[in-house]
Amino acid sequence: MTEPAFTPASAFLGRLVERGYLNQGTDLTALDARLVEVEKGQRAPLIAYIGFDCTAESLHVGSLIQIMLLRHWQQCGQKPIVLMGGGTTRIGDPSFRDDSRPLLDDATIERNMAGIRRVFERFLTFGDGPTDAIMVNNADWLDELAYIPFLRDYGRHFTINRMLSFDSVRLRLEREQPLTFLEFNYMILQAYDFVELARRHGCSVQMGGSDQWGNIVNGVELGRRTQGLELFGVTSPLLTTASGAKMGKTAQGAVWLNPESLSPYDYWQYWRNTEDADVGRFLRLFTDLPEDEIGRLESLPGAEINQAKKLLADHATTLCHGAEAAAEARHTAETTFEQGGSGEALPTVPVPRAELGAGIPAYALMVTAGLAGSNKEARRLIAGGGGRLNGALIEDANRPITIEDLDAAGQIKLSAGKKRHALVIPA
RNA sequence: GGAGGGGUGGCCGAGCGGUCAAAGGCAACAGACUGUAAAUCUGUCGGGUUUUCCCUACGUAGGUUCGAAUCCUACCCCCUCCA
């Protein structure tokens, strides 16, 4: 557990504490000492892993803190392993959930894994070097597990009594939600993953979100009991916004890290709209900016805090999508919001020139532009004063929009409210 | 296997023969206020070209009624207690 006055000597743990990544860890003092030895060149880099589910074809902002943990780990001269849960995803982590996850088929898992791999390549350096990241898939060993030998070798180290006492299981049972035996095995397999990674790759540290604490501790103990290994666990805090909402949800859904799932412009916007109270915290967690700079930014008064939000958006987007995409997103945002214009990175919707020539009712165009889910919703939006055409309020939902409405740049800017815009271009 | 309770809109949760597209809350969207923030207030919140009209919807399939989310039958699923 975390010692209250723990002051780490190692670069890595020092950074975690300073930047707010540390929730708790097993024997942090010993881990700190090992890390220092590496820094002094007295031992080879330590190897840490974090496991990721393959439940979607991209990771989202909720996993970003974990990705950043691996990134800092690598920057501090240690070696990261990204563990893809190709095997465990077929079971579904029951931690703190009331319902079972839907079981995914192998093809879907495979596809998801490919999408997730690309995200990591932006945050970590992969390769064969001593501190290069590697990616492994736990299906490689879980798929071929033999049931009886596995039970005999590992099952005997788990008591049901203890497993039932873990919050992740206990809370579910207390709420009288069913927990299947399949899901119940998840924690055993995750513990086994840790031991297997130690054996195969010499991995000695597992990190993860605080909801993984129970699973991580199980792995540490299993390693000690079965092979006398000294393993460590480190968790990061569960993140919520200052107003208490879970991170990573927006109107359009999850904030994906993959440009196909969420455009860099929308990603930039997500960070730009951070609540005032979160700016400092997020700068520390999701950018590489130095502490003194962050201190200055987070104390900007009143509306000036918006400068800090832009920098947050710039740096977070650069990490995830590259500097070019970030610059374009910022440019688009500034022309759209500060000059009332429209930048290139706004979503564009091609509409056949002939249809525009004939005129399309405003409500219908809102729908094709993706700004409303149905004609009715579009009408409501316009009736409520939320529809704009090239910046001007749309009074009548039936008002035809034609080529006459093309602006100087040859496009039509449609807006739903102040933040959602789309460009209609004749095709 | 026996007894009882329950399955309602994105979620929670009322309704228990017409006045029900279904109270209330949350979430969401828009408006006002602002700073592309938070909080607050207002409006909207199944679909249909603007609708005193139509369609779809209250686990599934039938039925009784002029009329059902509400009653009946069968089936599926969940929960509780007993065995």
Side-chain angles (χ1 to χ4, degrees):
Chain A
M1 298 301 267
T2 314
E3 293 89 312
F6 178 66
T7 20
S10 66
F12 176 72
L13 286 178
R15 198 181 283 195
L16 293 205
V17 169
E18 176 179 274
R19 300 213 146 217
Y21 287 101
L22 186 63
N23 183 240
Q24 59 182 339
T26 62
D27 202 351
L28 287 174
T29 319
L31 175 59
D32 195 43
R34 300 289 178 289
L35 290 166
V36 168
E37 285 171 37
V38 176
E39 284 165 22
K40 289 182 178 163
Q42 295 165 349
R43 85 168 36 228
L46 295 189
I47 303 174
Y49 90 96
I50 300 181
F52 295 87
D53 269 349
C54 312
T55 42
E57 61 187 337
S58 170
L59 294 175
H60 53 79
V61 169
S63 301
L64 194 51
I65 190 163
Q66 266 64 256
I67 298 173
M68 291 300 284
L69 275 176
L70 288 181
R71 182 180 164 85
H72 285 301
W73 179 261
Q74 185 170 48
Q75 285 178 347
C76 291
Q78 317 292 342
K79 182 181 182 75
I81 293 180
V82 177
L83 176 69
M84 305 299 277
T88 30
T89 298
R90 293 208 301 241
I91 292 179
D93 182 3
S95 299
F96 305 101
R97 300 181 118 252
D98 280 348
D99 307 317
S100 306
R101 298 195 185 193
L103 295 177
L104 302 175
D105 59 70
D106 293 357
T108 308
I109 291 175
E110 194 59 40
R111 196 171 55 244
N112 292 345
M113 220 150 58
I116 291 171
R117 187 171 293 130
R118 300 210 325 281
V119 172
F120 278 101
E121 283 163 2
R122 304 216 74 119
F123 288 88
L124 300 174
T125 306
F126 286 85
D128 299 324
T131 65
D132 282 345
I134 59 171
M135 181 172 274
V136 298
N137 181 357
N138 64 11
D140 289 350
W141 55 85
L142 293 182
D143 277 1
E144 56 201 34
L145 273 190
Y147 195 57
I148 301 294
F150 179 75
L151 286 182
R152 288 177 60 107
D153 292 343
Y154 296 96
R156 62 207 190 102
H157 295 291
F158 292 88
T159 64
I160 295 286
N161 317 51
R162 184 158 156 69
M163 287 199 282
L164 292 177
S165 75
F166 280 96
D167 280 358
S168 54
V169 170
R170 209 193 72 235
L171 296 173
R172 176 114 157 223
L173 294 177
E174 275 175 5
R175 264 175 290 152
E176 297 179 341
Q177 301 292 339
L179 176 71
T180 64
F181 185 65
L182 174 74
E183 296 172 279
F184 191 56
N185 273 274
Y186 186 92
M187 67 165 79
I188 295 180
L189 293 180
Q190 184 168 332
Y192 177 68
D193 276 349
F194 199 172
V195 176
E196 192 62 33
L197 282 169
R199 179 157 49 214
R200 292 183 177 222
H201 299 284
C203 177
S204 60
V205 180
Q206 181 180 182
M207 303 192 281
S210 58
D211 58 333
Q212 294 301 312
W213 177 251
N215 292 335
I216 291 173
V217 168
N218 267 322
V220 170
E221 298 211 340
L222 186 65
R224 199 191 63 235
R225 287 188 191 160
T226 57
Q227 351 235 319
L229 294 168
E230 186 183 39
L231 303 177
F232 300 96
V234 174
T235 61
S236 59
L238 192 68
L239 272 198
T240 54
T241 67
S243 40
K246 253 190 204 156
M247 269 205 73
K249 286 286 164 92
T250 66
Q252 332 301 326
V255 180
W256 302 106
L257 302 180
N258 202 311
E260 290 77 39
S261 307
L262 184 77
S263 74
Y265 168 72
D266 286 322
Y267 191 76
W268 194 93
Q269 278 295 316
Y270 172 74
W271 294 107
R272 170 61 184 81
N273 283 302
T274 295
E275 295 176 28
D276 287 8
D278 288 326
V279 170
R281 201 158 52 103
F282 287 0
L283 280 167
R284 284 184 186 88
L285 290 171
F286 302 117
T287 75
D288 290 334
L289 287 173
E291 175 60 27
D292 52 346
E293 171 83 353
I294 293 174
R296 184 185 69 80
L297 288 170
E298 71 179 333
S299 53
L300 287 173
E304 283 179 48
I305 193 84
N306 286 331
Q307 294 311 312
K309 292 184 190 181
K310 284 190 190 180
L311 281 170
L312 169 61
D314 282 349
H315 285 264
T317 308
T318 299
L319 277 178
C320 194
H321 299 295
E324 205 174 310
E328 194 193 23
R330 182 185 189 132
H331 177 71
T332 292
E334 285 180 342
T335 54
T336 306
F337 287 97
E338 291 167 26
Q339 294 149 37
S342 40
E344 278 92 59
L346 290 179
T348 57
V349 186
V351 170
R353 195 164 214 109
E355 285 184 34
L356 267 182
I360 304 173
Y363 72 87
L365 197 57
M366 296 288 279
V367 174
T368 45
L371 296 173
S374 67
N375 292 348
K376 196 154 189 165
E377 190 184 319
R379 286 179 186 285
R380 260 188 241 123
L381 189 67
I382 294 171
R388 283 173 188 274
L389 169 65
N390 292 327
L393 198 67
I394 302 174
E395 308 274 355
D396 176 10
N398 290 321
R399 173 203 194 287
I401 294 178
T402 69
I403 25 183
E404 306 280 299
D405 295 304
L406 289 173
D407 66 9
Q411 54 195 16
I412 296 169
K413 181 175 151 198
L414 271 183
S415 316
K418 288 177 190 138
K419 290 190 195 169
R420 293 154 57 217
H421 309 277
L423 296 179
V424 174
I425 48 172

